[in-house]
Amino acid sequence: MESQRSLLVIAFAIVSFFLWQDWQKDYGPKPVVPAQTAINSPNASAEPQLSASGPLSNTTSTTAAVTEGKVIEVNTDVLNVKIDTRGGDIVGLVLPKYTLSLEDNTPYPLMRQLNGFNYTAQSGLLGDGPDEKRTAKPVYSVTQDKFALADGQTELNVSLKLEHNGLQIEKRYTFSAGKYDVRVDYIVTNTSTGSKVIQPYHYLAQTIENGKDGNMMMPVYRGGAYSTSEQRYEKFAFEDMQDQNLDLATKGGWVSMLEHYFVSAWVPQAEEQNQLFSLVNNNEGIIGVRGPQSSIAAGESKTLTATFYAGPKDQASLAAIAHGLDLTVDYGWLWFISQPLFWLLQQIHNLVSNWGVAIIAITLLIKLAMFPLTKAQYEGMAKMRNLKPKIDELQARYKDDKQKMGPAMMELYRKEKVNPMGGCLPMLIQMPIFLALYFVFVESIELRQAPFIFWIKDLSVMDPYLVLPILYIVSMYAMQKLTPVTVTDPMQQKIMLWMPVVFGLFFIIFPSGLVLYWVVSNLISLAQMLYIYKGMEKKGLHVRNA
């Protein structure tokens, strides 16, 4: 029994260690590296340079932006977008289907330029294109200042046009009803007498703050991420951008910026050889992709295409857009457990239409699946309790001969058919499930602002009235009363007495969905214990505490 309780403490310490390790990896202090003030293009000798006065610079005159360009608005059922005709870049993006919080119904502003904070999605053409080494981005022409997806309309095209250096360029955004992914085409026609070379680039730029949200036990990542043909998903935090430039050649791939439940991403053509890059300029972290150079003969037209995504981390939608993009729903190192658990949770929700009820149902299924192990655990604990007099006798007999005590104890276990570690296996299995569910409840946008019943209006945040943490503490004490105890040391008894309170204090700041899972798990365990103990007492085994 002492080993069972000690293992509980050790298991909790291991879980805490891995949570702390993940927090340190993404949010812990890193060496301070001075921000780069100039932008250098990787492989500059082989490709057009991206200088500080080129297309990735934010140092161009604001006066020019005001007098030469304008901001147009594009509204669909799921996106409200602002596009600056100077460069044709996305400088604002709001998600009308999502609010800031339950208390604040303001639509969620994913991309914005306000109060010294910039978050934009930019793109252009290098080579003979209009963005090569210019002090100011080109100004596109548009036919109207506002575009809206009409009722019943499935697609909306927003066309920006420009003539430059013998090239007729149309930058076309194609929005679709109900979708957060936008097709971005460059349709380029060479009207000159000679061939032209162009190279597309796409990048995300965001003002570097601390890259941290939440708290120490409930951190959320804000920063970059990318994918290559060899790495399906890799985070690239703002600190990494300050430390060194990303420079990776890959077939396909994508780049993104994450903001807890939301993500923006540029996805180039999967069959092309692309170059991923990052840099820091004027306290802005930039992560992007350059496509291959394309030669356009005189009189020829070419279309260069990429996909832009800005919206919720919906795994099914992201997986359909690009390989590995669904991994931006970051379930951590236990993703191979979290993803099946989320799938099962989602299937249950489709039946019951309440995420809290779905959590209760998945908890019941997990506990039922583990019942054979649980039964073996409690039977093993009961047998160990009944063996205690014989164990005490062996310890007294061999107290001065440790070498003989070990074999004698093992012989006793063999003779009585008792596995001293038999009670540990269910707990060792349950802890990874608990941690995997922790990531599911923290990362899955489906639980954001998802109500359960009564006072629980949002399963992704802590219980506002602490009812669930209190119920957890009470259920833990009830389990302690039912669990056979052989601990006689007063200090260990005090530790065991206060353990539920310590656990409950941790659960105060956890998502209420996770605490709901653990409370229901404890209640089911209590019912299983009563059932198992009743059967063992019929066999003459003493299992309950006096």
Side-chain angles (χ1 to χ4, degrees), residues 411-424:
E411 176 61 23
L412 176 64
Y413 293 145
R414 186 193 64 78
K415 182 179 179 182
E416 299 291 338
K417 298 181 180 180
V418 174
N419 182 358
M421 298 301 292
C424 303

Side-chain angles (χ1 to χ4, degrees), residues 77-181:
D77 54 334
V78 296
L79 292 173
N80 295 336
V81 181
K82 291 184 177 181
I83 299 175
D84 193 340
T85 58
R86 185 170 177 267
D89 299 323
I90 294 175
V91 296
L93 189 144
V94 173
L95 306 173
K97 297 289 187 181
Y98 294 88
T99 61
L100 286 175
S101 67
L102 289 175
E103 296 75 25
D104 188 344
N105 291 326
T106 302
Y108 193 89
L110 180 58
M111 310 189 82
R112 59 266 188 199
Q113 288 185 307
L114 50 88
N115 300 328
F117 180 86
N118 294 325
Y119 184 4
T120 59
Q122 305 189 30
S123 57
L125 296 174
L126 300 172
D128 290 319
D131 296 290
E132 179 65 15
K133 297 183 180 179
R134 292 174 60 91
T135 57
K137 283 195 169 186
V139 177
Y140 289 83
S141 63
V142 290
T143 58
Q144 58 195 78
D145 294 343
K146 292 186 177 181
F147 296 80
L149 189 73
D151 292 340
Q153 187 179 2
T154 59
E155 194 171 273
L156 173 64
N157 291 320
V158 178
S159 179
L160 299 89
K161 295 184 178 180
L162 173 73
E163 290 191 13
H164 167 78
N165 193 24
L167 296 175
Q168 289 183 349
I169 302 169
E170 179 186 358
K171 187 174 186 178
R172 181 188 297 169
Y173 288 92
T174 302
F175 299 84
S176 300
K179 291 188 177 182
Y180 295 91
D181 52 300

Side-chain angles (χ1 to χ4, degrees), residues 34-51:
Q36 303 168 32
T37 57
I39 302 175
N40 300 313
S41 170
N43 302 327
S45 60
E47 299 178 348
Q49 292 193 10
L50 307 181
S51 65

Side-chain angles (χ1 to χ4, degrees), residues 24 33 40 67 88 108 121 144 162 207 209 224 259 266 313 351 375 473 477 494:
Q24 282 288 99
V33 179
N40 300 313
T67 58
Y108 193 89
Q144 58 195 78
L162 173 73
T207 301
E209 295 181 330
E259 190 172 290
W266 277 112
K313 291 182 182 177
L351 296 175
K375 187 172 184 293
I473 293 173
Y477 272 120
K494 288 182 179 179

Side-chain angles (χ1 to χ4, degrees), residues 214-231:
N215 53 59
M216 187 183 75
M217 289 302 294
M218 289 295 300
V220 290
Y221 176 79
R222 187 177 67 81
Y226 66 88
S227 175
T228 68
S229 56
E230 296 180 353
Q231 294 174 298

Side-chain angles (χ1 to χ4, degrees), residues 48-63:
Q49 292 193 10
L50 307 181
S51 65
S53 61
L56 301 187
S57 173
N58 290 309
T59 59
T60 55
S61 169
T62 56
T63 302

Side-chain angles (χ1 to χ4, degrees), residues 437-452:
L437 281 171
Y438 162 86
F439 286 115
V440 168
F441 296 142
V442 169
E443 280 288 312
S444 299
I445 193 170
E446 289 79 2
L447 296 179
R448 181 180 186 265
Q449 300 179 10
F452 175 36

